[in-house]
Amino acid sequence: MVHAVRLHSVGGPEHLVWERIEVPEPGPGEVRIKQRAAGLNYIDVYHRTGLYPLQSWPAVIGMEGAGDVVAVGEGVSALSVGDRVAYGSVLGGYAEERLIAADRVVKLPDGISYETAAAMMLQGMTVRYLLRETYNVVPGTIMLFHAAAGGVGLIACQWARALGATLIGTVSTDEKAELARSHGAEHVIVTSREDFVQRVQEITDGKGCDVVYDSIGRDTFPRSLDCLRPRGLWVSFGNASGPVPPFDLSALKGSLFATRPSLMGYTATASELRENAAELFQMVESGAVKIAINQTFPLKDAASAHRALEARQTTGSTVLTV
Ligand code: NDP
């Protein structure tokens, strides 16, 4: 038996229960991981509240973690007991030990700690596909990136700078603005006192951005579209304020493009996963991207971590220590 944080029904953070669970031996194609750290992500909140429905109950939520392989199932040749591994976007992370399909984990380079891996796998691979695949960000690209001081946001600020792009970030407070700026945001809009559409128009001399990365959802729709140049791309990749409501396609006037991507959609095959993770590791090992672990909570206190994330009190990434 090991400890895990489980949900028995959807609801508030108090529904996250620290309890003992059985983890069976790995089946064919699976490995068992003893986790050293787990990651906190906004998707954990969507799972807890029911915005993203879970398939089976009770459920161990959490999509990210890092640790050591302690058992290997039949047919697994790429991993051995003792390997240091990490993953992002596989349900079941809030646990001391877990089973996982061997082809959904990657080996960790020696230079990357368990904590850094648990903090960055999901958020960092997300930034990689957003900036390198959803839109091909190149020197001179101008982007609006909402929630620029968050977990995904601080990685995006640094990655955009490394690519020679101009990132305009939005944040809710002056402290967060300073943080985003120090991580590479060229312009920061403080939404509690500035109108982001007006500021984007001023910053871009009325031209608009090539691409808008919007993870806020309801509160920034449809105004994010007003920040784009003709034929610009609106990337709606999250719903921190609630989902984007159904809308008429005529909202995309100006020949705009829209997409609703997910990390799973960009790492569906083992080779896509490996390629994405390898580029993230390279960015972190080269020092171009530093992972800001600005909060840690014991795993058993995941409820407090959820409260802080939903109250917009966190910045950068949050690790749950196992
Ligand atoms: P963050 O650390 O960015 O936390 C969310 C931030 O959103 C807050 O800190 C806050 O920043 C901002 N925010 C704006 N409005 C609200 C609101 N009403 N309630 C709460 N927060 C609000 O979280 P993550 O880095 O984990 O994730 C960022 C976003 O990216 C999430 O929407 C997540 O779902 C999405 N995501 C999508 C993925 C995909 O593949 N589609 C993968 C990974 C993440 P401020 O106070 O500065 O406004």
Side-chain angles (χ1 to χ4, degrees):
M1 300 281 276
V2 302
H3 279 103
V5 173
R6 275 208 300 194
L7 269 183
H8 291 260
S9 58
V10 298
E14 70 282 0
H15 284 235
L16 296 166
V17 188
W18 177 246
E19 57 194 9
R20 287 168 80 79
I21 61 162
E22 194 81 59
V23 180
E25 285 309 302
E30 288 183 330
V31 294
R32 179 172 169 144
I33 305 174
K34 182 173 171 51
Q35 301 215 117
R36 303 295 179 175
L40 177 76
N41 290 283
Y42 222 93
I43 193 170
D44 306 348
V45 173
Y46 308 146
H47 284 143
R48 199 203 70 226
T49 59
L51 179 64
Y52 293 179
L54 293 164
Q55 302 307 319
S56 66
W57 295 89
V60 177
I61 63 164
M63 299 287 275
E64 187 179 39
D68 301 312
V69 174
V70 290
V72 173
E74 193 190 315
V76 174
S77 54
L79 293 173
S80 317
V81 170
D83 282 347
R84 299 171 73 246
V85 294
Y87 62 90
S89 213
V90 189
L91 194 70
Y94 287 8
E96 291 172 332
E97 295 194 21
R98 67 162 302 165
L99 297 182
I100 192 165
D103 62 2
R104 301 314 299 167
V105 302
V106 292
K107 285 191 194 173
L108 263 188
D110 291 342
I112 295 184
S113 69
Y114 298 115
E115 289 73 23
T116 296
M120 76 175 187
M121 290 302 290
L122 197 153
Q123 295 167 348
M125 291 198 293
T126 296
V127 171
R128 192 272 182 185
Y129 86 71
L130 289 174
L131 269 55
R132 302 271 291 113
E133 294 185 276
T134 306
Y135 189 90
N136 183 25
V137 173
V138 293
T141 298
I142 300 180
M143 71 180 80
L144 177 65
F145 209 105
H146 287 297
V152 173
L154 286 186
I155 297 172
C157 289
Q158 299 171 78
W159 207 310
R161 176 173 59 188
L163 292 171
T166 296
L167 184 145
I168 305 169
T170 69
V171 296
S172 60
T173 67
D174 288 299
E175 294 72 31
K176 289 185 179 185
E178 199 37 56
L179 198 58
R181 231 175 258 119
S182 68
H183 284 75
E186 219 161 299
H187 306 272
V188 186
I189 301 167
V190 182
T191 49
S192 50
R193 58 179 167 76
E194 295 181 297
D195 180 278
F196 74 84
V197 177
Q198 191 188 330
R199 285 291 295 127
V200 164
Q201 293 305 333
E202 286 166 7
I203 292 165
T204 63
D205 292 328
K207 295 189 181 74
C209 298
D210 300 303
V211 54
V212 172
Y213 293 105
D214 191 338
S215 64
I216 307 297
R218 186 161 53 207
D219 287 358
T220 44
F221 181 83
R223 303 193 74 235
S224 282
L225 298 173
D226 298 332
C227 299
L228 285 165
R229 64 160 166 79
R231 287 182 278 142
L233 175 66
W234 174 57
V235 183
S236 173
F237 73 102
N239 351 253
S241 68
V244 172
F247 64 91
D248 197 305
L249 273 181
S250 63
L252 302 177
K253 63 184 180 301
S255 306
L256 302 180
F257 294 84
T259 183
R260 205 319 180 183
S262 70
L263 176 58
M264 199 55 211
Y266 281 85
T267 52
T269 67
S271 65
E272 286 170 344
L273 173 67
R274 276 196 304 273
E275 195 184 325
N276 189 324
E279 193 171 335
L280 172 63
F281 293 153
Q282 190 264 321
M283 290 298 279
V284 171
E285 289 192 298
S286 73
V289 170
K290 294 191 171 60
I291 304 302
I293 301 176
N294 290 354
Q295 304 74 213
T296 56
F297 293 84
L299 175 60
K300 69 168 182 289
D301 208 8
S304 301
H306 276 227
R307 287 190 186 96
L309 184 61
E310 287 181 277
R312 302 161 79 158
Q313 286 164 355
T314 65
T315 59
S317 304
T318 301
V319 165
L320 303 170
T321 52
V322 180

